[in-house]
Amino acid sequence: MRNKKKYAKERRSHRVNRDNFIVLLTELHEKKKLDSTSLWADLYPTVSKDTRYLAMLGQPGSTPLDLFKFYLEDLKSTMHDDKKMIKDVLRSASFEVEPDTSYEKFHSIISNHEKTKGIDKGNIKLHFLNLLEKAEAREKEAQRAEERKIKRKETAFKHMLKDANPPITTKDEWSQIVVRFETDPAFVAFSDEHSKSRLFKDFVASLEPESNSEDYEKHKKKRHKKDKKHKYRSKRSPSYNMTGSSDDDRKKRRNKLLEELSRH
């Protein structure tokens, strides 16, 4: 009977110690010294000096580190609701995160709004990172779309030169024959004058080996081999980009950004 009472007393004491440690974490959270992105290694120098941490050492059950992890999970569990509130605030402010948006600017809008004052600082950081990554993805996709658009225009321009009647010769100068193409849709659609001149020079250069039939045949074989090699590389490149290396790079960059944001 005496042992049972002693055991029950110890259990109560252990529970009180755990509760007190959670109070310590809550105090740190309220002081903005702890958030959902905090690391135990960064927090340890602070908590290790507190009696509420020391009281837990050596007792069975959850450790201080376990309670720290549980506390962070609770903070992150509100991420979905926090995300909705942040979106509402950004919408009301007519603010959109761009690839060059600073965290200071983003945070100033969120923190100064009554609706989002109680949101965990770490969740604000995580949502900022998500929006930043989406903005960067949109920019990259826009760049790729523009590159594809230019490529199509270049292809149409090359076909225009190839189908020219009378045919273009190595003696022709772009400045002298440009008037022949000014009404062609492929010419009109391509506004980059420098690129027009460059494509014309490349086209004329491809005609030069024709002056000697033997050289021309060598040129054709060499060009076919080069095009085949380029095509093979083009087929390989997407699968390479889909490997874990790109995911690792994104993860490293995200972690680096989180480290930078942890200073705020």
Side-chain angles (χ1 to χ4, degrees), residues 75-86:
L75 292 176
K76 289 176 182 177
S77 68
T78 65
M79 183 64 179
H80 179 71
D81 293 334
D82 292 347
K83 184 178 178 181
K84 287 174 65 177
M85 286 191 285
I86 291 171

Side-chain angles (χ1 to χ4, degrees), residues 11 40 44 86 92 98 125 130 136 148 155 173:
R11 285 192 64 184
W40 177 249
Y44 181 76
I86 291 171
S92 65
E98 301 293 344
K125 295 175 189 175
N130 289 336
E136 289 172 345
R148 289 193 294 269
T155 300
E173 293 288 337

Side-chain angles (χ1 to χ4, degrees), residues 219-233:
H219 173 76
K220 277 177 67 178
K221 289 179 181 178
K222 187 177 180 182
R223 190 174 184 83
H224 176 71
K225 192 174 181 181
K226 186 178 180 181
D227 290 344
K228 192 174 180 181
K229 188 176 181 181
H230 176 72
K231 189 176 181 181
Y232 175 72
R233 284 180 177 172

Side-chain angles (χ1 to χ4, degrees), residues 28-43:
L28 292 171
H29 182 249
E30 289 172 351
K31 292 176 181 177
K32 309 296 184 185
K33 292 182 179 180
L34 182 154
D35 60 53
S36 60
T37 63
S38 295
L39 299 175
W40 177 249
D42 296 332
L43 200 67

Side-chain angles (χ1 to χ4, degrees), residues 49-71:
K49 298 171 185 176
D50 196 288
T51 55
R52 288 167 288 187
Y53 166 82
L54 297 171
M56 283 195 64
L57 298 181
Q59 75 176 39
S62 298
T63 65
L65 178 57
D66 292 332
L67 295 179
F68 168 78
K69 290 178 179 178
F70 297 152
Y71 194 87

Side-chain angles (χ1 to χ4, degrees), residues 95-116:
F95 184 84
E96 186 173 0
V97 173
E98 301 293 344
D100 59 348
T101 300
S102 67
Y103 177 70
E104 288 82 0
K105 178 65 176 175
F106 176 82
H107 186 261
S108 67
I109 293 172
I110 301 303
S111 60
N112 289 329
H113 200 282
E114 193 66 33
K115 192 174 184 178
T116 49

